[in-house]
Amino acid sequence: MTGASEHRAGFIALLGRPNVGKSTLMNALVGAKIAITTDRPETTRKAIRGILTTPDAQLIFVDTPGVHRPRTLLGQRLNDTVSQVMAEVDVIAVCFPADEKIGPGDRRIVASLAQWPRAARVAVVTKTDTVRREALAPKLVEVDRLTEWTDVVPVSAEAGSQLGELTEVLSQLLPRSPELYPAGQRAEETPEEHIAELLREALISELSAELPHSVAVVVEEMSPREERPGLVDVHASVYVERSSQKAIIIGRAGARLRQSGTRAREQIEAYLGKRVYLDVRVKVAREWQTSPKELGRLGF
Ligand SMILES: Nc1nc2c(ncn2[C@@H]2O[C@H](COP(=O)(O)OP(=O)(O)OP(=O)(O)O)[C@@H](O)[C@H]2O)c(=O)[nH]1
Ligand SMILES: [Mg+2]
């Protein structure tokens, strides 16, 4: 335990292309499932805070949507969210996956760092478990050459390797400050927001190709069942863009929706520590990814 004046606390943004492992890394660093993760790009749609409190520091991670060339108004809004986050953080940790080549998307992100000169820059090479040791060294050199980094740290969130080292590097870059959140708090999302995300994750895992992009989830109501203590009723709406997509989500005789619902319910029960009755309604919000009005209603 350090003296009060030595204590550090601050904000660390996780930045990078879609699917590079930002959310998985935040969850591993915080030690809890804060953000949902999938093998599809553009999973994260909001800035999501995850808080790690150590004896010497409080690291407030801000997971962000993957930066990409927007094809829809939603895509533009997501990139705007990222820019807003970057303006407010002490450290920007840019993630590059060990198993992919540095591409134009990465270079654009690195070039954008000039907009936020106040923040320290750290490069994180993620998914190191996917490459052989001999391939990692040249990767680190390649990333190191992209710009002036305070540090370049290889990690594997999956294998749990180098997470302590990364935590230490990031802590040292935070300003001296007392804790900004109560020590026990690890997330900032409301239960309704988190449950909507767990359902979206379960739906995505059952879908292929582009459809995950068309899905949005809102928890409309959540309440303990009066006559059954320990049981919580959760009413959720799943929005898609077209009625053809609604049919796909529901599946033949409702099979797909039942499967996603079961998967989501198990996750929600583990999160709430209670039994859950999950009621899911699939609705069409026509072309919501490109409609300012629908985006507003869905919180984007
Ligand atoms: N092998 C391996 N896979 C990983 C690791 N970290 C993440 N992944 C996988 O990479 C995929 C993307 O992970 P996410 O954490 O959702 O990536 P993201 O950068 O948050 O993606 P967006 O939210 O879409 O921007 C998932 O299938 C993860 O399981 C890792 O350390 N090792
Ligand atoms: Mg993510």
Side-chain angles (χ1 to χ4, degrees):
M1 194 82 173
T2 50
S5 63
E6 303 277 295
H7 190 276
R8 294 176 187 272
F11 294 84
I12 301 151
L14 297 169
L15 178 68
R17 281 187 292 111
N19 222 29
V20 297
K22 300 176 293 297
S23 302
T24 308
L25 178 60
M26 180 172 80
N27 291 347
L29 290 165
V30 173
K33 179 169 175 170
I34 309 289
I36 61 164
T37 63
T38 79
D39 56 2
R40 315 302 158 78
E42 294 163 54
T43 296
T44 304
R45 287 184 180 157
K46 294 204 167 131
I48 302 176
R49 289 184 184 182
I51 304 146
L52 172 63
T53 304
T54 72
D56 309 322
Q58 187 167 65
L59 297 84
I60 304 154
F61 295 101
V62 190
D63 181 22
T64 63
V67 175
H68 60 289
R69 272 188 191 285
R71 297 171 305 273
T72 61
L73 188 57
L74 172 67
Q76 266 171 44
R77 298 256 164 105
L78 298 188
N79 284 351
D80 292 347
T81 300
V82 177
S83 299
Q84 279 161 19
V85 168
M86 297 309 137
E88 293 166 1
V89 295
D90 303 293
V91 182
I92 300 177
V94 189
C95 299
F96 304 93
D99 59 346
E100 286 175 43
K101 288 205 163 58
I102 302 285
D106 298 299
R107 289 182 205 285
R108 266 197 299 277
I109 288 171
V110 170
S112 74
L113 293 173
Q115 294 172 254
W116 308 291
R118 197 181 70 81
R121 303 165 180 186
V122 173
V124 181
V125 175
T126 58
K127 312 191 189 185
T128 55
D129 59 288
T130 60
V131 295
R132 285 174 302 128
R133 196 181 277 267
E134 308 85 83
L136 188 57
K139 185 80 197 180
L140 293 173
V141 172
E142 193 188 2
V143 169
D144 187 48
R145 287 189 181 138
L146 288 172
T147 185
E148 283 289 314
W149 304 105
T150 310
D151 239 305
V152 180
V153 187
V155 295
S156 166
E158 193 79 43
S161 89
Q162 291 270 114
L163 295 172
E165 286 77 358
L166 179 57
T167 300
E168 189 53 35
V169 164
L170 296 173
S171 304
Q172 290 306 317
L173 295 172
L174 297 178
R176 299 217 189 269
S177 156
E179 288 172 357
L180 302 170
Y181 281 89
Q185 187 173 346
R186 293 203 281 192
E188 211 190 34
E189 274 185 310
T190 63
E192 284 85 353
E193 286 169 328
H194 189 60
I195 289 169
E197 287 288 88
L198 292 174
L199 176 54
R200 190 163 62 89
E201 182 181 55
L203 291 163
I204 293 175
S205 67
E206 301 283 333
L207 299 171
S208 56
E210 284 291 298
L211 202 51
H213 295 134
S214 298
V215 175
V217 179
V218 175
V219 167
E220 310 283 2
E221 203 188 318
M222 192 168 112
S223 53
R225 177 93 55 99
E226 265 176 28
E227 66 275 24
R228 286 272 303 276
L231 180 71
V232 179
D233 284 303
V234 175
H235 298 275
S237 299
V238 172
Y239 290 95
V240 290
E241 301 204 281
R242 295 185 271 284
S243 43
S244 57
Q245 296 172 336
K246 181 170 166 175
I248 297 172
I249 297 261
I250 293 172
R252 194 165 293 159
R256 184 176 279 122
L257 187 59
R258 249 194 322 279
Q259 207 149 32
S260 331
T262 302
R263 192 193 278 243
R265 183 173 47 76
E266 286 165 2
Q267 293 263 333
I268 299 166
E269 287 182 338
Y271 164 67
L272 292 176
K274 298 205 168 103
R275 295 279 313 283
V276 166
Y277 171 76
L278 178 62
D279 167 52
V280 181
R281 302 287 159 92
V282 185
K283 301 174 181 172
V284 177
R286 205 151 293 286
E287 307 297 337
W288 68 264
Q289 286 190 84
T290 47
S291 152
K293 185 162 144 257
E294 296 293 355
L295 283 169
R297 285 207 317 160
L298 293 167
F300 293 103

